[in-house]
Structure formats: structure tokens, C-alpha cells
Amino acid sequence: FPVMYAPPPGFGPVQTVFLATETVGDKALVASVLHLAERRLVTLTPTGADTWRVTGTGTPEQWAAVDPVSQQVGAALRVTTPGSYFEADGSIGAGEILKAAGASIGGTTTAWSRGAGLTRGAAGERWAQVAVVVSALVGFAVMAWSRPTIAGLPFAAFALVGGWYLMRSGVGSRRTPTGRLAWSQSAGFQRLLATE
């Protein structure tokens, strides 16, 4: 990957990580909120030792100009209008909102990458994943409900060995030529950040 000094134009942090690694990463929600603050769509105000207020400051035009993942996070936290705010105060209600916002990031990012023509589905790999699940069920059923026999062993072996590779993140999706260019740029930016 060539070293890049910026992420691909118009990409937020979650999109950049997704294109480089095929996952949104475990800090996707935090990265999105910080990205919104950097873009001046929200302000972050500490309200206690471990509590924060996220206040919406962006106009509808500014929100329309930001990436879809960041838009989704703003909508989930209900901070897309000036003056609206979200209290990350450690309460159960706040936790449920944060959990829902974080859980929806993966689907939003995948839909964005498909809609932007950066990735496409790989149907053959999806069918292979189905075969792994069916093999695991058949192997378990044969070994559990018949006399002790090794007849279910080939099914179980396929499920274990094939499942190890076929159930990983990124399987079932392929980058398009445009996606490979964005992947190279995203990974190049990640390389810059990882260089000491």
C-alpha cells in the first residue's frame, strides 16, 4: 500500500477502517462521534467524571454533506438539529441508545459500500457458508441420534475446517475495481497512522 496522508475524500473513520480491514472495528461509535465533533456537527461537553453531553450544532445542509455512517450515528443519538442533545450519563436508557447506535453501524456501512459500488456480494461464498451450517447440523444429528458411529465425522470435520475459514468477517463480499482503489488508499492511510 502506498503511504497516504489522508483518508479517501469524503470517507469517515468507520468507512476507512471498513475498506482497509473488512470490519468496522471495535471503536466505530466513538470514532464516529469524534468525527462529528471534528466536523463541527456536535459539541462534546463533559458533565462529570465519566459522563458527557453530545449537543447538535450542525445545520441540515451540514448533515447532508457528511458521510452516511456519521449521519446514522447522529440520527441514532438524536442530535441532528441545533440544540438537541444526548446525555451519556451512564443510565440504562442512555446505554440502550448507545448500544443500538453502535449495533447499526455495521449494516449501514455494508449498505453504503454496496450502494457506492465499492463492494459486491459473492454468492458462491454465501452458499459455502450455508453448506458449513448444514454439515454441522447433519454431523451433530448423525452422531447424537444414531448408534455410536463415525458416519457423522466427515460432516463435522468439514464444518470445523471449512467453518474456520468461511465464517470469518469479509467472506461473502468482494471489492469492485473502484473498491480496490479505495482499499489501497484506506490501507495506505492506516499504514501512515501505524508508522512510528
Side-chain angles (χ1 to χ4, degrees):
F1 309 109
V3 174
M4 301 297 290
Y5 294 94
F11 285 19
V14 174
Q15 295 158 303
T16 304
V17 168
F18 180 80
L19 285 175
T21 66
E22 298 183 5
T23 68
V24 295
D26 57 352
K27 305 277 192 270
L29 181 59
V30 173
S32 294
V33 171
L34 292 175
H35 178 65
L36 291 173
E38 186 265 333
R39 298 285 305 267
R40 301 188 190 282
L41 293 167
V42 299
T43 58
L44 303 175
T45 309
T47 56
D50 293 323
T51 59
W52 289 83
R53 175 179 285 172
V54 182
T55 306
T57 57
T59 64
E61 295 79 20
Q62 289 172 308
W63 280 102
V66 77
D67 64 272
V69 177
S70 298
Q71 289 175 359
Q72 181 272 326
V73 169
L77 298 180
R78 302 180 190 115
V79 294
T80 55
T81 56
S84 59
Y85 64 90
F86 171 75
E87 292 279 349
D89 57 8
S91 67
I92 292 173
E96 289 173 350
I97 291 171
L98 290 170
K99 185 177 180 182
S104 64
I105 289 176
T108 302
T109 307
T110 301
W112 161 79
S113 70
R114 298 263 169 102
L118 301 172
T119 61
R120 61 176 174 75
E125 292 175 4
R126 290 292 182 203
W127 281 111
Q129 288 176 326
V130 170
V132 167
V133 172
V134 170
S135 291
L137 294 173
V138 169
F140 177 76
V142 168
M143 287 193 262
W145 289 298
S146 66
R147 294 176 306 168
T149 178
I150 63 168
L153 192 59
F155 295 103
F158 174 74
L160 288 173
V161 175
W164 177 259
Y165 295 102
L166 290 170
M167 299 311 229
R168 294 179 303 163
S169 176
V171 173
S173 178
R174 288 285 171 258
R175 293 179 186 96
T176 63
T178 305
R180 284 192 290 276
L181 176 62
W183 166 61
S184 176
Q185 294 171 340
S186 297
F189 183 60
Q190 185 179 36
R191 182 177 172 198
L192 172 75
L193 296 177
T195 304
E196 293 183 7

